[in-house]
Amino acid sequence: MTDTVIDARGVVKRFGRFTALDGLDLTVEAGQVAGFLGPNGAGKSTTIRVLLGLLRADAGTVRLLGGDPWKDAVALHRRLAYVPGDVSLWPNMTGGQAIDLLGRLRGGLDPDRREELLARFELDPSKKARTYSKGNRQKVALVAALASDAELLVLDEPTSGLDPLMESVFTRCVLEAKAQGRTVLLSSHILSEVEKLCDTVTIIRRGRTVESGTLEGLRHLTRSTVRASVDGDPSVLSGLDGVHDLSADGNRVSFAVDNDRLGTAVRAVGDLEVRSLVCTPPSLEELFMRHYGDELSALDGSGGERT
Amino acid sequence: MNALTGTGTLLRFVLRRDRIRLSVWTLALVGTVAATVPALDEMFATEAQRRSRAALMDTPTGIVFGGPGYGLDDYGLGPMVVNELTMSLLIALAVMNILHVVRHTRAEEESGRAELLRSGAVGPSAQMTAALATAALVDLVIGGLVAATLAGSGLAIADSAAYGLGLALAGIAFGAVAAVCAQVTGYGRGAAGLAFLAVGVLFLFRVVGDMAEPGGNALSWLSPFAWVQQTRVYDDLRWWPLLLYPLLVCLLFAAAYALAGRRDLGAGLVPPRPGPAGAGSLLRGATALHLHQQRGAVIAWAAAVFAFAAAFGTLSSEIDTMLEENPELGAVFLGGTSEVMAGYLGTMVSYTMMAASAYAVVSVLRTRSEESSGRAEAVLATAVSRYRWFGGALVVSALSSTLIVLLGGLGMGIGAAAAVEDSSWIGTMLEAVLAQLPVALLFTALTALVVGAAPRLVPLVWAWFGYSVLATMFGGLLGLDEWLVDLSAFSMLPLLPGGEFEAAPVAVAAAVAVAAAAGGLLGFRRRDLLPV
């Protein structure tokens, strides 16, 4: 078993004139749960399809489980399981048939685990796929993937149709997979889910990697929010290096501070006869917004892009 | 808000969506008429030529594709046009109307788009009404243009108008059949299949009725295929048979709206039943998956082709009677019953091949919908190679069309053998279809080639199929040069019985099929899976 499960560097993928991936980098080490974030149209699904050998990269190098995903597709696919973002099933087949079929095509699945997962996800396998809701179709793909022995799970927005109850079942399943030593690539919009599950995070935008690393490491690079009640005059804080968005309302004060200046800022607050102090590390949401914030403000302008 | 709110908007939307599709149908149908009329006039210029052509219309082949045979005594341009063209035009109109109505009713529901539309200020009957109204509009335009073309060629104006109106009304009736079928099953494909089956049976009613009695018997009158020609246009015009169309259409519309009003959006008449909670032991591997997906369609096509082939084979029994009644025929064919029969059954072999080839194309094209729906992605992300998945689809297509071809041959053989009490016809007909089998395989392979190597060119396969059907059916009539007729897939290989078997073209066709299939497989391995 290789240590690096996914190693993509400088991947470029064009569809006609549209560049979907523009030098994307993604690394996932064995045994990690890796979060893969980005807004709609950033290229998450395209990246996953390149990793699965369904699309061929125009440039860059891609290694998956030590092989070439395009050339060695079949051999590699025996070792991974995939849950597409938009699960489409054969309308005249039951969910149970689809699970068995996908499992067999992958090289077999564990019947006991299949039963257990069906029960946990509360899925009726004897219903025809065309009568399933989006969430139930997603459960079919999840059961098929999780009941396999695959060492790598590739999950593309797997919880977008699940209710909160099922989402927590999913979370437990992923943590169990991690405990078994499996590697998980989890593309998602749901930041709380990524925060709960992921060891590392890669944030992409317009086909490029804009941030990657452990969640702790990423937090360190950004700002914390400080809220305090003080008796002294908070205006002195505005002169400090690394302090932003200072607002004072009576004796309450709040500001954001670059994490490498946090110590100085807290000392300065301490000098102001502090009565209460709350310091919040940046949430993933804030990390995310920092990279897409300007896109949000430009939304009413250009209308954005899509793949 | 009433049941029809939003119909106007949807109507414009349907016309906008299908502007190219509907224009192509209109141009193709009217163009065929416009090209055939002068060609007929030129080809059958003398009295003797027309008389021998009229005699041909009295044979089983003539009745199947000509009609009840009005105006044969004085076979002028008008009766000639009606006898040569009506059935082809009606079949084309049936295909167009059925596909159009299903596409805008059941297929929309199945895809979930109808749900989106119906959540707006759109009445529950608006979509079906818009689909039927647009179909009727196009039918009337086609009918009007055909009437104008015929009147413009110097034919009687009243008769031309009656003929054009008859075609349009028949088209509307076929659309109404499709509207009823669309209520029965939850699947668009199933609805279209059901409608084609219903229309096929109606076609058979007319054929059997017209064979039994000159001018048709009561069975003929049950079929909307008959009523256009029962007006006896260009012979002894009577308008009243056209009244049967509005009668049938009203009945079918009432049934369709009543059924639609009683069911939920997206539901068929038969509620979905629970199925097996696990896959059977046979459902393993990509080829098994393709087979599982297509088995219903294959069984339906094969059974329909077998039934029609047997029915047409049985009609050979009429040949003897006709030769007795019409000694002139013997002179035309310079032979006895078996020569006439061989010619008739040879023509039927061509039609069997058309059906089998159409299925071969449809079957391979299923891979496209698997791909665009994302289901191919799910399979190809498992340990299934591109070759296995796509190759499996080709194997299923080739085997299914072979089955259809063989059952067609067997049906005709059994029918003919029973009709003339000579069992050797079974072997003869099986040989005849086997000699043509490479044509169907060629369609499998060529479709594979475009799907694998250049998916955008898929319409080219249908274009060649359409050209082949037209060239084989009308090539002689239009006076096409021989090389143009030879470009037709159905005229490339020796047509038995009656023709002479040659190994060379069969071998070439088979070799081309193998090469094209290999090209398709390589192309599919090398290209990106299409993004969803």
Side-chain angles (χ1 to χ4, degrees), chain B residues 199-268:
Chain B
V199 163
V201 169
L202 291 174
F203 182 80
L204 213 55
F205 279 3
R206 186 204 61 77
V207 169
V208 173
D210 286 357
M211 288 254 185
E213 213 174 287
N217 67 9
L219 196 59
S220 309
W221 282 91
L222 284 178
S223 169
F225 280 94
W227 306 334
V228 182
Q229 277 165 302
Q230 291 298 348
T231 54
R232 300 180 183 160
V233 280
Y234 306 119
D235 182 27
D236 178 17
L237 179 65
R238 48 180 184 180
W239 287 84
W240 63 263
L242 293 186
L243 286 176
L244 293 168
Y245 286 115
L247 209 69
L248 174 70
V249 168
C250 287
L251 221 65
L252 291 172
F253 278 6
Y257 282 104
L259 289 172
R262 296 161 69 99
R263 67 176 180 84
D264 293 338
L265 183 70

Side-chain angles (χ1 to χ4, degrees), chain A residues 13 49 53-56 70 74 77-78 82 88-90 92-94 96-97 100-101 104-105 114 126 130, chain B residues 186-187 274-280 283 289 293 370 373 375 377 380-383 385-386 525-529:
Chain A
K13 179 67 201 174
R49 289 190 184 117
L54 301 171
L55 303 178
R56 176 144 60 170
W70 181 264
V74 173
H77 290 174
R78 277 187 219 290
Y82 167 53
S88 173
L89 299 171
W90 297 272
N92 56 351
M93 245 188 227
T94 63
Q97 282 178 307
D100 287 347
L101 175 76
R104 284 172 189 173
L105 292 176
R114 174 187 186 272
S126 62
R130 66 187 302 260
Chain B
Y187 303 93
L283 185 53
L289 170 62
Q293 287 306 297
E370 289 293 292
S373 67
R375 292 190 288 263
E377 185 178 302
L380 291 172
T382 67
S385 72
R386 300 269 185 115
R525 172 65 185 95
R526 295 167 61 89
R527 76 167 165 85
D528 283 346
L529 208 61

Side-chain angles (χ1 to χ4, degrees), chain A:
Chain A
M1 194 158 152
T2 37
D3 287 330
T4 305
V5 172
I6 296 173
D7 187 18
R9 285 169 207 274
V11 180
V12 175
K13 179 67 201 174
R14 294 186 199 90
F15 297 112
R17 281 196 195 156
F18 174 69
T19 304
L21 300 182
D22 189 12
L24 180 126
D25 302 307
L26 175 66
T27 315
V28 179
E29 303 293 332
Q32 278 183 342
V33 178
F36 192 39
L37 298 175
N40 293 331
K44 296 189 299 292
S45 297
T46 304
T47 307
I48 287 174
R49 289 190 184 117
V50 169
L51 291 175
L52 293 172
L54 301 171
L55 303 178
R56 176 144 60 170
D58 293 319
T61 57
V62 188
R63 304 293 289 172
L64 182 83
L65 295 163
D68 177 333
W70 181 264
K71 284 198 200 119
D72 315 323
V74 173
L76 296 178
H77 290 174
R78 277 187 219 290
R79 299 164 57 191
L80 65 84
Y82 167 53
V83 175
D86 192 358
V87 181
S88 173
L89 299 171
W90 297 272
N92 56 351
M93 245 188 227
T94 63
Q97 282 178 307
I99 289 170
D100 287 347
L101 175 76
L102 288 171
R104 284 172 189 173
L105 292 176
R106 192 177 289 129
L109 45 76
D110 181 342
D112 296 334
R113 194 131 38 118
R114 174 187 186 272
E115 290 315 308
E116 181 210 321
L117 286 163
L118 283 175
R120 284 169 77 180
F121 279 107
E122 295 172 17
L123 180 71
D124 178 355
S126 62
K127 275 193 176 168
K128 291 272 166 69
R130 66 187 302 260
T131 64
Y132 279 141
S133 65
K134 176 178 162 63
N136 280 337
R137 289 201 305 272
Q138 221 150 21
K139 288 180 193 173
V140 169
L142 278 170
V143 171
L146 292 168
S148 73
D149 290 323
E151 56 196 271
L152 169 64
L153 297 173
V154 180
L155 313 175
D156 191 359
E157 297 182 19
T159 56
S160 54
L162 299 185
D163 63 46
L165 226 60
M166 289 303 136
E167 224 180 288
S168 73
V169 173
F170 167 78
T171 306
R172 278 202 297 280
C173 287
V174 171
L175 290 175
E176 285 166 22
K178 187 187 169 187
Q180 292 160 358
R182 303 206 225 179
T183 311
V184 181
L185 177 67
L186 173 67
S187 122
S188 180
H189 281 312
I190 302 167
L191 301 170
S192 58
E193 178 179 285
V194 175
E195 270 187 312
K196 238 182 295 176
L197 288 173
C198 296
D199 307 309
T200 64
V201 172
T202 300
I203 301 180
I204 68 164
R205 174 180 177 175
R206 289 185 190 157
R208 278 173 182 277
T209 307
V210 290
E211 202 78 89
S212 71
T214 62
L215 215 47
E216 279 316 302
L218 290 184
R219 282 188 171 133
H220 190 69
L221 290 175
T222 54
R223 299 167 187 169
S224 297
T225 309
V226 177
R227 285 192 195 79
S229 301
V230 292
D231 287 338
D233 175 14
S235 64
V236 295
L237 295 170
S238 65
L240 285 179
D241 247 9
V243 169
H244 310 269
D245 308 329
L246 179 75
S247 74
D249 175 19
N251 58 355
R252 276 189 226 156
V253 64
S254 78
F255 58 90
V257 58
D258 294 346
N259 276 340
D260 51 353
R261 304 278 177 184
L262 187 59
T264 328
V266 171
R267 264 195 298 280
V269 174
D271 292 341
L272 296 173
E273 304 295 322
V274 63
R275 289 195 290 167
S276 77
L277 176 69
V278 181
C279 178
T280 331
S283 69
L284 188 56
E285 191 168 341
E286 279 162 314
L287 281 179
F288 196 75
M289 291 303 224
R290 204 170 77 110
H291 287 291
Y292 296 106
D294 55 315
E295 204 155 89
L296 282 179
S297 55
L299 261 187
D300 38 4
S302 66
E305 55 179 317
R306 287 205 48 93
T307 44

Side-chain angles (χ1 to χ4, degrees), chain B residues 474-495:
Chain B
F474 296 114
L477 212 57
L478 290 169
L480 286 186
D481 285 341
E482 197 158 326
W483 67 272
L484 278 173
V485 177
D486 286 345
L487 286 180
S488 157
F490 308 111
S491 308
M492 287 185 321
L493 300 185
L495 192 58

